[in-house]
């Protein structure tokens, strides 16, 4: 089985501020840093650092994309399917406050230049039973889902950002959803707009998508998984948080890696939670993602 991640590649401009800006407010930042990132790239690096051979597909800009291509290669992500287009790569403007909360503004750049021809070219390298990991930071997500489903690929979707573009997607073709609390409420729909109980929220998602599995992350409240006859809750591992930007992507990469390795759900959830805890204790998106040996050595919190 081969693993394809069809997703975004961003340059992250991170501004450290006292608090997240309000409308009309001007505030000086304490520090500015530049990191490689993007949900797609972060998840590919997390998969690779968890020991999975992953192929990444996506677009980078000719003006600034080499930085992203080099980062993928350095982390043993297969880059043969990444293409370069005119202009700039996608980027994000990220505010990180003193409590490590963040606010993210995205510019699509190369991530919004996906074409049907390119999708068909990429999927031509994969077969029935191969795994596709998707997020919503590239265009053509609906077509990618449809085309991959026709090939018999298993589809894992992190529907983030959760916007109107997703209304065109046939979620019945998705095998596994990975969502945070906000995305979970939107996925569950009417009646769950303010739900804070993880068990009730994941039950609401499962009512709509009975054939899929769901992994729900809720920050300090921990994480839940439901699918088939399995139900599991995982506590979080408290750390001194510095930057939460790649926490969900790290969890996703390690969770999917655990599934591919055939681990027990208890072990999979624990490893994913530990990896996410390590990530939030470091600056940046992709650079914060730990390697498997670090996760293995990470002790249980008392």
């Amino acid at each position: 089985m081969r693993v394809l991640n069809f997703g975004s590649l961003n340059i992250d401009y991170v501004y450290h501020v006292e608090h997240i800006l309000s409308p009309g407010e001007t505030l000086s930042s304490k520090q500015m840093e530049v990191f490689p990132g993007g949900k797609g790239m972060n998840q590919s690096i997390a998969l690779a650092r968890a020991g999975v051979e992953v192929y990444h597909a996506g677009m980078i800009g000719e003006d600034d994309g080499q930085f992203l291509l080099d980062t993928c290669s350095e982390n043993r992500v297969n880059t043969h399917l990444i293409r370069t287009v005119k202009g700039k790569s996608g980027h994000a403007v990220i505010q990180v406050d003193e409590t490590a909360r963040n606010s993210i503004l995205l510019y699509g750049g190369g991530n919004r230049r996906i074409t049907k021809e390119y999708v068909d070219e990429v999927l031509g390298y994969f077969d029935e039973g191969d795994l596709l990991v998707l997020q919503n930071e590239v265009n053509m997500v609906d077509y990618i889902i449809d085309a991959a489903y026709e090939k018999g690929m298993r589809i894992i979707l992190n529907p983030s950002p959760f916007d109107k573009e997703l209304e065109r997607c046939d979620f019945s073709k998705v095998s596994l959803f990975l969502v945070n609390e906000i995305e979970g409420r939107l996925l569950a729909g009417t009646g769950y707009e303010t739900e804070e109980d993880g068990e009730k929220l994941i039950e609401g998602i499962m009512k709509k998508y009975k054939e899929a599995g769901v992994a729900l992350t809720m920050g300090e409240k921990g994480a839940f998984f439901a699918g088939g006859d399995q139900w599991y809750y995982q506590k979080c591992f408290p750390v001194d948080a510095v930057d939460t930007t790649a926490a969900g992507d790290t969890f996703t990469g390690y969770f999917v890696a655990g599934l591919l390795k055939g681990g027990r759900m208890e072990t999979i959830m624990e490893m994913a939670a530990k990896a996410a805890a390590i990530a939030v204790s470091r600056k940046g998106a992709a650079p914060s993602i730990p390697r498997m040996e670090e996760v293995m050595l990470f002790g249980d919190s008392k």
Side-chain angles (χ1 to χ4, degrees):
M1 178 195 302
R2 291 196 290 178
V3 180
L4 167 66
N5 187 346
F6 210 133
S8 58
L9 302 108
N10 284 343
I11 299 174
D12 291 345
Y13 299 92
V14 181
Y15 297 84
H16 296 269
V17 294
E18 290 182 356
H19 59 266
I20 304 299
L21 271 70
S22 301
E25 181 180 14
T26 300
L27 181 68
S28 295
S29 63
K30 298 179 179 181
Q31 185 181 13
M32 192 277 276
E33 298 174 285
V34 181
F35 298 104
K39 295 192 71 65
M41 182 179 186
N42 294 341
Q43 291 176 16
S44 282
I45 289 175
L47 280 160
R49 291 186 175 180
V52 173
E53 182 180 2
V54 56
Y55 295 78
H56 193 98
M59 299 287 195
I60 55 175
E62 63 181 4
D63 293 349
D64 51 14
Q66 190 62 44
F67 170 52
L68 301 173
L69 196 64
D70 291 344
T71 300
C72 286
S73 297
E74 289 164 5
N75 285 279
R76 298 185 178 180
V77 174
N78 190 303
T79 62
H80 294 164
L81 299 174
I82 295 175
R83 300 291 181 264
T84 301
V85 293
K86 292 183 179 179
K88 293 188 175 297
S89 302
H91 70 249
V93 176
I94 303 174
Q95 300 176 56
V96 179
D97 71 11
E98 292 180 339
T99 67
R101 294 180 302 177
N102 62 60
S103 176
I104 302 174
L105 175 65
L106 291 174
Y107 169 72
N111 297 319
R112 310 300 298 179
R113 303 281 295 278
I114 307 298
T115 65
K116 288 186 177 181
E117 292 74 18
Y118 175 58
V119 174
D120 293 340
E121 176 194 352
V122 168
L123 295 183
Y125 291 95
F126 297 88
D127 300 307
E128 181 178 355
D130 287 340
L131 191 67
L132 170 65
V133 180
L134 275 174
Q135 317 78 34
N136 191 36
E137 287 185 350
V138 299
N139 64 313
M140 304 292 296
V141 171
D142 56 334
Y143 182 76
I144 297 170
I145 289 175
D146 291 343
Y149 185 81
E150 287 300 313
K151 290 186 70 73
M153 298 179 73
R154 295 165 54 204
I155 301 168
I156 295 177
L157 176 65
N158 171 212
S160 177
F162 205 109
D163 59 23
K164 290 185 177 180
E165 295 293 318
L166 292 174
E167 293 178 2
R168 297 199 297 265
C169 298
D170 185 352
F171 283 170
S172 69
K173 297 175 179 178
V174 175
S175 300
L176 173 66
F177 294 98
L178 289 122
V179 294
N180 65 19
E181 193 169 352
I182 295 172
E183 296 148 9
R185 291 180 187 137
L186 293 167
L187 192 61
T190 304
Y192 295 91
E193 293 88 348
T194 60
E195 184 58 67
E196 295 183 0
D197 184 289
E199 291 189 22
K200 292 180 180 178
L201 186 52
I202 206 166
E203 285 173 0
I205 298 171
M206 294 298 291
K207 285 179 183 178
K208 290 183 67 175
Y209 305 104
K210 297 179 176 63
E211 302 301 319
V214 181
L216 168 68
T217 59
M218 299 186 70
E220 294 179 355
K221 300 175 187 176
F224 298 81
F225 173 79
D229 59 354
Q230 295 190 86
W231 176 277
Y232 191 77
Y233 168 73
Q234 172 63 51
K235 68 177 183 179
C236 76
F237 293 91
V239 294
D240 292 328
V242 174
D243 184 351
T244 61
T245 304
D249 298 331
T250 301
F251 186 97
T252 292
Y254 271 82
F255 184 89
V256 174
L259 291 179
L260 290 168
K261 295 174 183 178
R264 293 183 301 123
M265 186 53 61
E266 178 180 1
T267 303
I268 293 171
M269 291 285 281
E270 181 180 39
M271 295 295 285
K274 287 181 176 181
I278 295 171
V280 302
S281 70
R282 300 169 173 172
K283 291 182 179 181
S288 74
I289 299 168
R291 299 184 185 279
M292 177 59 81
E293 53 267 30
E294 297 176 86
V295 180
M296 295 291 291
L297 293 172
F298 185 82
D300 290 352
S301 61
K302 304 296 183 184

